[in-house]
Amino acid sequence: MSTISRKIALVTGASSGIGALHDSLSQIALNITALTPLAHAVLPGMKARNAGVIVNVASVLALKSLAFSAVYSGTKAFVLAFSEGLRDELAGTGVTVQVVLPASTATDIRDQSGVPLSALAPEAVMLTGHMVDAALVALDRGEGMTMPSVDDSALVAQFDAARSALVAAAQTGQVAPRLLAA
């Protein structure tokens, strides 16, 4: 029996800082429950025409959750994974899927998030129009995953390569030697 199973009865993915249940369910409804059927609704026509574009907006917090963003980050991680999976499934169909991962962006929702714009350094906040313009330029250039405020495209490529390498390394069917009991 592992040490952890002797100390706790239940492990969940939520932290104590997730906010009100209603807020959490609203984020799930918007970022998962609405996104999924919308994509399913438009895809048959796009596939039939062999043309179309889906742009989903995730967040840089899809990559790294912070203490105040457990549910938000989790739903945005879904947007990222869903978008990347769709892009792979639709390869060769003429349907393009882009996922945009902006960092802090000047939107009205910031004031409802618990971290208002006024709490952020002004130089760290991108104007919404600039974020949209950058995402569209990236779409025209064929970027599947776009981070509008990251200038070094090699960092994005390295991140993506590291994720692929980690998934490949996990496909052994064996417990990692580092986790074997001594």
Side-chain angles (χ1 to χ4, degrees):
M1 177 183 266
S2 73
T3 304
I4 196 166
S5 64
R6 284 183 247 137
K7 294 182 179 178
I8 57 175
L10 176 67
V11 177
T12 68
S15 70
S16 60
I18 63 170
L21 177 60
H22 177 357
D23 294 339
S24 295
L25 294 176
S26 294
Q27 290 178 46
I28 293 166
L30 175 64
N31 294 323
I32 299 173
T33 309
L35 177 75
T36 306
L38 285 172
H40 283 275
V42 300
L43 280 172
M46 289 180 173
K47 288 170 65 175
R49 288 186 300 278
N50 201 36
V53 176
I54 295 175
V55 177
N56 290 326
V57 179
S59 167
V60 71
L61 292 180
L63 308 177
K64 175 79 171 107
S65 185
L66 302 176
F68 62 86
S69 72
V71 172
Y72 178 81
S73 293
T75 64
K76 292 303 188 172
F78 171 84
V79 174
L80 174 61
F82 182 70
S83 300
E84 290 181 320
L86 277 181
R87 185 175 56 245
D88 291 346
E89 289 175 24
L90 297 167
T93 66
V95 179
T96 300
V97 179
Q98 179 194 40
V99 60
V100 183
L101 287 76
S104 296
T105 307
T107 64
D108 293 340
I109 200 156
R110 293 292 321 187
D111 292 331
Q112 300 168 24
S113 72
V115 183
L117 278 175
S118 60
L120 302 174
E123 64 274 8
V125 180
M126 185 176 289
L127 296 175
T128 306
H130 293 167
M131 187 272 294
V132 171
D133 290 345
L136 292 175
V137 167
L139 180 65
D140 287 344
R141 293 181 180 172
E143 283 189 17
M145 181 176 71
T146 301
M147 299 179 74
S149 58
V150 176
D151 188 40
D152 187 350
S153 60
L155 283 176
V156 178
Q158 289 168 358
F159 169 77
D160 201 35
R163 288 190 306 163
S164 295
L166 190 56
V167 169
Q171 307 304 315
T172 67
Q174 302 294 316
V175 172
R178 68 181 179 82
L179 299 176
L180 295 173

